[in-house]
Amino acid sequence: MTITIKDETFTGKILNEISLNFEDESVTVKDIIEQRVLQEVEIYNKKQTGYFNGLIEPTLAEKTLNGYKLKPHKIIDSEKQVYVALDAFMKNGYFILIDNIQSENLEQEVILSKTTAISFIKLTPLIGG
């Protein structure tokens, strides 16, 4: 199942979209966050464009209009990024709306369908690996 996830502002402006693939239609909020972060890091580490546009700001990155600027050939630690993303969710660093309902915890079950709408709303800059 492929789901498109959106990063939005409080006013509903879409900042970024990413498509994620899930093998099962029943997942948890934790699964969604992990899949998103792992995919973003994998894409960056393969291309190493110097700019990372993802949920968590990598360590030693500089925020720019195009995302987070990293030193050339810097590999991002996906495990650290996932840890920071999960921790930030638990500390209300961002929240997730699933079909316009705010997710309460990481273990919340989500049944995915073709019409499932998932939005990430960032509240503070998130810094990871």
Side-chain angles (χ1 to χ4, degrees):
M1 165 114 14
T2 301
I3 299 294
T4 299
I5 292 178
K6 300 175 184 178
D7 289 337
E8 296 184 39
T9 64
F10 283 117
T11 60
K13 179 182 176 189
I14 297 172
L15 303 172
N16 186 31
E17 288 186 0
I18 185 170
S19 294
L20 301 178
N21 294 315
F22 294 94
E23 291 186 20
D24 296 317
E25 66 181 23
S26 178
V27 296
T28 63
V29 169
K30 180 180 179 183
D31 295 332
I32 294 168
I33 295 168
E34 286 178 341
Q35 180 67 18
R36 179 208 167 130
V37 172
L38 291 172
Q39 183 171 317
E40 289 173 341
V41 171
E42 180 182 346
I43 290 168
Y44 174 81
N45 284 341
K46 282 184 182 176
K47 295 181 181 179
Q48 290 191 14
T49 60
Y51 288 94
F52 177 74
N53 190 11
L55 179 64
I56 304 299
E57 178 181 340
T59 304
L60 301 177
E62 174 187 339
K63 184 152 177 64
T64 68
L65 291 176
N66 296 326
Y68 304 108
K69 184 176 180 183
L70 290 114
K71 292 181 181 179
H73 308 294
K74 166 123 171 71
I75 299 292
I76 298 173
D77 182 340
S78 59
E79 187 176 311
K80 187 172 182 181
Q81 292 290 101
V82 168
Y83 174 80
V84 172
L86 295 173
D87 186 57
F89 177 81
M90 292 185 297
K91 293 179 178 175
N92 297 317
Y94 64 94
F95 61 93
I96 300 174
L97 299 178
I98 300 174
D99 293 330
N100 291 319
I101 298 171
Q102 185 173 342
S103 300
E104 298 296 325
N105 64 66
L106 291 173
E107 299 308 319
Q108 178 181 336
E109 289 271 336
V110 179
I111 304 298
L112 301 175
S113 72
K114 292 181 181 182
T115 61
T116 301
I118 301 175
S119 297
F120 283 66
I121 314 294
K122 286 189 199 180
L123 303 176
T124 59
L126 306 172
I127 301 173

